[in-house]
Amino acid sequence: MDQNRYRWKDGFPKIGIRPTIDGRRKGVRESLEEQTMNMAKEAAKLLSSELRYPNGEPVECVVADTTIGGVAESAACADKFRRENVSVSITVTPCWCYGTETMDMDPFTPKAVWGFNGTERPGAVYLAAVLAAHAQKGLPAFGIYGTDVQDAGTTEIPQDVKQKLLRFARAGLAAALMRGKSYLSIGSVSMGIAGSIVNDQFFQEYLGMRNEYVDSSEIIRRIEEEIYDKDEYELALQWVKENCKEGADNNPEALQASRGKKDADWETVVKMTMIGRDLMAGNPKLAELGFAEEAQGHNAILAGFQGQRQWTDHFPNGDFMETVLNSSFDWNGRRAPYLMATENDSLNGVVMLFGHLLTNTAQVFADVRTYWSPEAVKRVTGYTLEGRASNGLLHLINSGSAALDGTGEQTRDGQPAMKPYWEITDAEAKACLEATLFRPASVEYFRGGGFSTDYTTKGGMPITMSRLNLVKGLGPALQIAEGYTVELPADIHDALDKRTDPTWPTTWFAPVLTGKGAFKDVYSVMDQWGSNHGSFSYGHIGADLITLASILRIPVAMHNVAEEQIFRPRVWGSFGTESPESADFRACSAFGPLYK
């Protein structure tokens, strides 16, 4: 099965470009037609050249057939956009236009307006007027206005305008890509973790997603009834034998599984991985085998596996399944990750989804396990933390769901990185596997056996950790922490790592400090984190997460993003400009969930 082709067989949402114009004929409109349409074409060219869909193809833009000078042309544009699957709109203009006649009125479409900063015509006046109309009608829109005055005939898009166009488009497409998809729960609540109490109202009203549920016994049924592609299974098992290194068994000798049991566990976890993917996305091969219903899958863009304890007390754990699905490659080659949250923590799964859709890269799920102060490290090891680690570290570690990309064995400009799958080389994929051990699972945690992923992330990667929390009376709130991975000397890493479970993957994380609030020190970041889990994405993408959250009407409770990078709908300023974080909460409360 060509996974990359099959998963996205229904296509992708597109960005619609709406060139609005002064409707007055006999001179005014005619003089502006070329400039206005050129703005639309240049915006489309920029977005298609810079942005990619999850399968690596360039983002498609649809430009209105004509400039829009009044309500009839606005309606014609809306009709075209519906036919063309446009789910994000950007209105562009160099001049005054008739605001309520030319504005985008679709309540579910993320929208932005670019008003040209020029002296010949009042583009800024229209921008202000139409944004006021959006605010008054409860249809928040992003305002884009260049810092510097441009000449009327120029086709160049200023750098600050480019940044806002791209930031809005990335976030708008992320929102559109989620809509209509499913979150699939495999099992239910894991060990009383509240994040795995899946809140269908949140998914429906904030993300526009469905919720799907299967019992864990469905995996057993498919294994026993052989509802999987047997040819692919043989390929996968051989690939695992050749590429996945089994590490040392840390269990007491009396509790260690026999070689026969471990070999059987490998066969089971490979089948689990295939079945988990098929449950999410479907597999046409199953129809050929006589399982047409199973072949359809659950249209899931995101899933969660309960695992502990009902499954893992008897069967091999889900660590291998989660690791491989969340990675950017498997036995079939490189492909987009299949996002699966450990312990069915749907709220951590959501931020994995946010990060993936904004970057097209794999995401790493982890416990936010321990704060190590410089003093504690010195006491335990005699080592003085330095550089980015000098203020202390967060130990991110969890048995499963740690994508192999998180090793840092991929590179960009000679530095460790995590890249979209189409940029990853075969050598880099091989290096990720070489840097990983699959350790026999700790039977204290996983009585049924299985294998836990074990690697240590390379230092020097810029990453963004995030977490979504649900709070009674408030609703969802997002937390964001930008920072860097840190590499410790091997003996220091071992001394700290062996105090917890050394068979699990470790990332040493140093958040960027601002000197105030939750980021006054590293301890405060840990102390203010809203749950036991977090997810991290490659790059400093906090500003993109903030823009996406505002589209979905999710307030951001904690972040260390520079204020000048924050981009939200213009009407957010009406809720206060002195404290943008507080205004964000008020605006999200006033407008309510996007799909309610």
Side-chain angles (χ1 to χ4, degrees):
M1 177 179 67
D2 184 339
Q3 297 179 64
N4 295 313
R5 183 182 299 275
Y6 180 75
R7 286 176 72 184
W8 310 108
K9 59 186 181 299
D10 295 327
F12 297 101
K14 301 171 186 174
I15 300 174
I17 312 294
R18 308 174 69 257
T20 57
I21 198 166
D22 192 323
R24 287 171 284 205
R25 299 282 184 171
K26 299 184 179 179
V28 176
R29 177 166 179 162
E30 290 82 354
S31 69
L32 293 163
E33 288 281 5
E34 183 176 359
Q35 182 185 2
T36 304
M37 189 56 80
N38 282 341
M39 280 184 70
K41 292 176 180 177
E42 287 301 314
K45 181 180 176 182
L46 169 71
L47 299 174
S48 293
S49 65
E50 294 286 337
L51 302 180
R52 300 237 181 170
Y53 289 123
N55 69 347
E57 294 179 357
V59 164
E60 290 188 57
C61 295
V62 177
V63 179
D65 291 334
T66 68
T67 55
I68 300 167
V71 68
E73 288 160 327
S74 185
C77 174
D79 287 341
K80 178 179 183 178
F81 284 4
R82 277 190 288 272
R83 294 193 302 271
E84 295 280 349
N85 193 28
V86 165
S87 300
V88 180
S89 81
I90 299 176
T91 298
V92 303
T93 190
C95 61
W96 168 254
C97 317
Y98 305 154
T100 58
E101 294 186 28
T102 60
M103 66 188 286
D104 175 3
M105 292 285 288
D106 189 318
F108 300 143
T109 301
K111 28 189 144 288
V113 184
W114 172 25
F116 186 80
N117 185 355
T119 55
E120 290 79 5
R121 299 286 184 176
V125 177
Y126 169 72
L127 177 62
V130 79
L131 290 175
H134 278 287
Q136 189 168 328
K137 292 178 178 293
L139 302 170
F142 291 76
I144 301 173
Y145 183 61
T147 302
D148 298 319
V149 171
Q150 293 182 269
D151 297 329
T154 185
T155 58
E156 180 184 357
I157 303 177
Q159 191 59 40
D160 60 332
V161 172
K162 282 183 182 179
Q163 184 184 60
K164 289 184 175 180
L165 284 170
L166 291 168
R167 178 153 292 149
F168 165 76
R170 272 193 298 268
L173 281 172
L177 284 161
M178 286 184 273
R179 188 180 180 191
K181 298 295 193 299
S182 302
Y183 176 85
L184 173 64
S185 297
I186 304 175
S188 185
V189 179
S190 174
M191 302 184 296
I193 294 173
S196 58
I197 303 172
V198 180
N199 187 305
D200 61 334
Q201 183 178 4
F202 164 74
F203 277 92
Q204 177 182 325
E205 295 185 356
Y206 283 89
L207 308 183
M209 290 175 60
R210 294 175 181 265
N211 291 90
E212 290 285 295
Y213 311 86
V214 297
D215 190 83
S216 301
S217 63
E218 177 63 7
I219 295 178
I220 305 167
R221 182 180 79 89
R222 293 195 182 202
I223 290 175
E224 293 184 351
E225 297 185 22
E226 297 187 327
I227 307 175
Y228 54 86
D229 183 341
K230 298 180 190 62
D231 292 336
E232 183 186 2
Y233 166 67
E234 294 299 331
L235 170 70
L237 189 61
Q238 186 61 36
W239 180 86
V240 166
K241 290 177 179 179
E242 293 174 359
N243 294 280
C244 298
K245 298 184 296 184
E246 185 178 309
D249 192 335
N250 269 34
N251 290 294
E253 188 172 351
L255 298 179
Q256 292 182 10
S258 68
R259 184 68 258 166
K261 170 67 163 62
K262 289 175 180 175
D263 289 344
D265 282 356
W266 274 117
E267 294 177 0
T268 298
V269 298
V270 170
K271 292 173 185 175
M272 287 170 64
T273 306
M274 294 172 55
I275 290 167
R277 178 203 64 199
D278 293 350
L279 282 166
M280 291 178 67
N283 186 344
K285 182 69 174 180
L286 301 185
E288 298 174 19
L289 299 173
F291 301 101
E293 182 180 1
E294 291 86 346
Q296 295 182 55
H298 289 266
N299 195 37
I301 196 172
L302 173 66
F305 178 61
Q306 176 190 346
Q308 299 189 75
R309 289 190 32 222
Q310 285 82 348
W311 178 271
T312 57
D313 276 9
H314 186 67
F315 297 102
N317 66 15
D319 291 4
F320 180 82
M321 170 179 68
E322 294 161 1
T323 291
V324 172
L325 289 180
N326 279 302
S327 300
S328 299
F329 50 87
D330 61 17
W331 43 83
N332 290 313
R334 288 161 286 156
R335 44 84 177 141
Y338 291 86
L339 301 174
M340 182 174 283
T342 293
E343 294 157 350
N344 198 27
D345 186 346
S346 61
L347 299 180
N348 214 52
V350 166
V351 290
M352 292 173 72
L353 181 58
F354 287 177
H356 172 63
L357 294 178
L358 289 168
T359 66
N360 291 319
T361 60
Q363 308 293 296
V364 178
F365 182 115
D367 279 353
V368 185
R369 186 93 170 188
T370 309
Y371 163 64
W372 277 102
S373 68
E375 294 77 15
V377 173
K378 182 77 171 178
R379 174 179 60 81
V380 170
T381 68
Y383 179 74
T384 300
L385 293 175
E386 56 189 22
R388 290 188 175 118
S390 59
N391 293 302
L393 292 168
L394 298 184
H395 192 180
L396 308 182
I397 178 171
N398 189 280
S399 68
S401 242
L404 294 169
D405 307 58
T407 57
E409 294 291 337
Q410 301 161 25
T411 61
R412 177 170 286 150
D413 299 325
Q415 299 299 313
M418 295 167 63
K419 302 189 291 192
Y421 79 86
W422 56 86
E423 294 182 15
I424 299 171
T425 66
D426 290 339
E428 288 173 328
K430 183 73 172 177
C432 292
L433 287 160
E434 286 291 328
T436 304
L437 294 174
F438 292 93
R439 307 282 294 274
S442 169
V443 294
E444 290 182 348
Y445 285 103
F446 307 113
R447 298 174 189 171
F451 301 92
S452 292
T453 309
D454 181 20
Y455 63 72
T456 303
T457 302
K458 280 193 169 184
M461 285 200 298
I463 63 171
T464 302
M465 185 170 74
S466 58
R467 168 73 194 182
L468 187 76
N469 301 296
L470 284 180
V471 181
K472 187 174 178 62
L474 169 66
L478 182 65
Q479 295 178 298
I480 299 166
E482 294 183 341
Y484 292 87
T485 62
V486 170
E487 204 161 332
L488 297 176
D491 58 331
I492 307 305
H493 164 81
D494 286 344
L496 303 181
D497 195 48
K498 287 178 180 178
R499 293 172 69 100
T500 178
D501 195 317
T503 68
W504 295 351
T506 279
T507 301
W508 298 108
F509 176 53
V512 172
L513 302 179
T514 64
K516 58 184 181 180
F519 293 92
K520 64 183 178 182
D521 51 41
V522 179
Y523 171 82
S524 296
V525 177
M526 177 79 174
D527 195 40
Q528 292 297 322
W529 206 248
S531 187
N532 54 310
H533 291 149
S535 167
F536 73 79
S537 182
Y538 176 77
H540 287 163
I541 64 165
D544 288 343
L545 285 167
I546 289 172
T547 296
L548 174 58
S550 68
I551 288 173
L552 301 172
R553 320 284 166 73
I554 297 173
V556 179
M558 166 181 164
H559 72 82
N560 56 349
V561 177
E563 190 168 333
E564 61 269 19
Q565 294 294 314
I566 297 173
F567 189 37
R568 293 185 172 114
R570 178 70 61 84
V571 69
W572 260 235
S574 295
F575 292 87
T577 57
E578 184 65 27
S579 176
E581 187 172 286
S582 297
D584 183 32
F585 276 82
R586 289 190 290 272
C588 290
S589 176
F591 289 111
L594 179 58
Y595 302 108
K596 187 172 181 179

